[in-house]
Amino acid sequence: MKHRIVVLGAGYAGAFAAGNLARRLSPADTVITVVNAVPDFVERMRLHQLAIGQDLAFRKLADVFAGTGVQLRLAHVTGVDPERKAVAVTGEGGEGGDGELAYDTLLYALGSSVADHDVPGVAEYAFDVTGRSSALRLRERLAGLDEGGTVLIVGEGLTGIETATEFAESRPDLSVALAARGELGAWLSPKARRHLRQAFDRLGITVHEHTGIEAVEPTRAIAADGTSIPADVTVWSAGFAVHPIATASGLEVAETGQIVVDRTMRSVSHPDVYAAGDCAYAIGENGRPLPMSCASAGFTNMQATAAIIARLTGSKVPTTGLKYLGNHISLGQRDAIFQMVDGDARSKSWYLGGRTAARLKSGVLKGAGWSITHPTFGMPKRKRRLATAPDLVGVRVAA
């Protein structure tokens, strides 16, 4: 019987991992199935561009995996039973296709969604750019705003900054503001912080610093001090949260609901389960949990696939790097910041800004999209066969 590998999610982590596994493992020994709720690969890092009205091309996952040997199952994951080694699914849109998928090895890469932090009104009135459907909903709302309409972005992280600058550049007829709990760009080097503030000033973005939002209403947001901020549209980008499926499954999870994994991205409670991307609680080389980000998706999926392949083929498990080099921050289409960081993820004094940084960020986006949509590029002629009796638990990790 072939070894059944099931990958949950076809985002940046899951899609690349599935292709990597297909590229390196023999189809004579393995069958790889990817479960995803939507039929397209969604470039999440560009959803704020979709929301403001830009046209993005979405490639069909059926085309992405065509000829690779990867089986695609369009369905929503509703549960995981790690004791029975089974995944419960329901068909796309909740119609038909209900059932179970059995696995021998599971790679959990379901990603994350917006975190509302139980703030009243967020679920009812706020918009977000964490998924294509939510970005399209926001796109429709923004298209209906007249000149002078007010848009408030809540959250001073990378998503909030990129969303605010993209909106202000693309729709100068709107009044765009950003609410930050702390200081705008506080984690950046002094020069990069000045660059960021100059970009906000150039684009006419109002910044409300040290302003926590404690309620969202249809036409305004209420700050912790009672201040009312006008907002025809409130875009919530104040963090991410993972789906509670992992917690409900009995897998060991952190307080965040992320699956606790070892250095090889294997669940510490269930050795047949691996996690990658936002849903993995992984410790980086600086001793801190990896943040939810596209970069973390890259680090963790490469480590997870390397570990899966090594253990199945009876090889020594390698370790891949879990170290950040810097942050790329788009400031509209013609400006950006590339901030280098040290081993403790603290900003170095050097940064790159302006059009050169914008071209670099554009290259990063294109490269990420291309690598995902060409998952078996450079496929070797010879693929690795599984060990006759692979020790899925006992293979030691390389130092």
Side-chain angles (χ1 to χ4, degrees):
M1 182 177 178
K2 293 184 179 181
H3 189 91
R4 298 162 298 183
I5 301 175
V6 174
V7 180
L8 303 183
Y12 288 106
F16 188 83
N20 197 8
L21 291 167
R23 181 168 64 242
R24 298 169 62 189
L25 291 173
S26 173
D29 300 327
T30 57
V31 56
I32 301 167
T33 303
V34 175
V35 182
N36 201 60
V38 297
D40 306 319
F41 170 67
V42 178
E43 291 186 77
R44 183 169 175 175
M45 291 190 293
R46 301 184 65 190
L47 287 178
H48 58 291
Q49 297 175 327
L50 178 68
I52 199 57
Q54 298 175 28
D55 292 326
L56 304 181
F58 292 93
R59 189 168 180 185
K60 296 290 184 184
L61 288 170
D63 296 333
V64 169
F65 294 123
T68 66
V70 174
Q71 298 179 3
L72 175 63
R73 177 78 176 266
L74 293 178
H76 294 270
V77 177
T78 58
V80 174
D81 187 339
E83 305 304 328
R84 295 176 51 244
K85 296 186 180 181
V87 177
V89 299
T90 186
E92 184 182 6
E95 299 177 359
D98 295 6
E100 282 191 340
L101 281 174
Y103 66 83
D104 299 301
T105 296
L106 179 71
L107 178 55
Y108 190 110
L110 289 177
S112 63
S113 58
V114 68
D116 61 19
H117 302 297
D118 296 321
V119 174
V122 171
E124 295 84 358
Y125 306 119
F127 297 79
D128 67 82
V129 291
T130 58
R132 185 171 66 170
S133 60
S134 59
L136 288 173
R137 175 173 164 262
L138 174 56
R139 178 186 178 115
E140 182 179 3
R141 179 69 181 95
L142 291 172
L145 284 185
D146 296 328
E147 181 177 354
T150 54
V151 179
L152 175 67
I153 288 86
V154 179
E156 69 273 29
L158 302 185
T159 301
I161 290 173
E162 293 195 340
T163 300
T165 51
E166 194 76 46
F167 284 14
E169 181 181 86
S170 299
R171 289 287 305 274
D173 60 310
L174 300 178
S175 176
V176 179
L178 183 142
R181 279 193 170 274
E183 179 185 350
L184 179 66
W187 75 94
L188 297 171
S189 64
K191 291 182 179 180
R193 196 178 311 138
R194 284 196 296 272
H195 186 113
L196 176 62
R197 288 186 175 277
Q198 289 169 0
F200 269 58
D201 290 342
R202 170 173 53 83
L203 294 168
I205 302 170
T206 301
V207 181
H208 302 278
E209 293 185 310
H210 307 290
T211 302
I213 300 300
E214 295 203 344
V216 176
E217 297 180 0
T219 59
R220 65 176 184 166
I222 309 299
D225 62 1
T227 301
S228 176
I229 303 175
D232 295 316
V233 174
T234 297
V235 182
W236 196 263
S237 60
F240 304 110
V242 298
H243 197 284
I245 286 176
T247 300
S249 71
L251 293 164
E252 183 171 336
V253 299
E255 291 184 0
T256 58
Q258 296 168 289
I259 298 171
V260 180
V261 296
D262 63 16
R263 182 58 178 78
T264 68
M265 303 303 131
R266 184 167 59 174
S267 165
V268 298
S269 62
H270 293 79
D272 300 306
V273 178
Y274 293 76
D278 288 353
C279 55
Y281 187 81
I283 305 302
E285 293 180 10
N286 59 9
R288 303 172 185 171
L290 293 176
M292 296 185 188
S293 69
C294 182
S296 295
F299 299 150
T300 55
N301 94 68
M302 287 188 289
Q303 177 61 78
T305 52
I308 291 170
I309 292 164
R311 290 190 171 107
L312 291 181
T313 58
S315 305
K316 186 176 181 179
V317 179
T319 56
T320 61
L322 299 177
K323 181 179 179 180
Y324 276 85
L325 297 177
N327 291 316
H328 294 89
I329 312 168
S330 295
L331 305 174
Q333 294 295 299
R334 295 179 293 277
D335 193 7
I337 291 173
F338 177 45
Q339 175 67 69
M340 297 292 292
V341 299
D342 61 19
D344 293 321
R346 294 175 299 193
S347 295
K348 296 183 177 180
S349 59
W350 181 88
Y351 89 101
L352 181 67
R355 288 183 179 272
T356 300
R359 287 193 290 268
L360 178 60
K361 178 61 181 283
S362 177
V364 169
L365 292 173
K366 290 178 181 177
W370 192 93
S371 64
I372 296 297
T373 55
H374 297 77
T376 55
F377 177 74
M379 183 186 294
K381 294 182 179 179
R382 296 183 61 187
K383 297 187 180 184
R384 299 177 67 178
R385 299 295 301 270
L386 268 59
T388 304
D391 179 3
L392 303 186
V393 177
V395 181
R396 67 186 181 90
V397 178

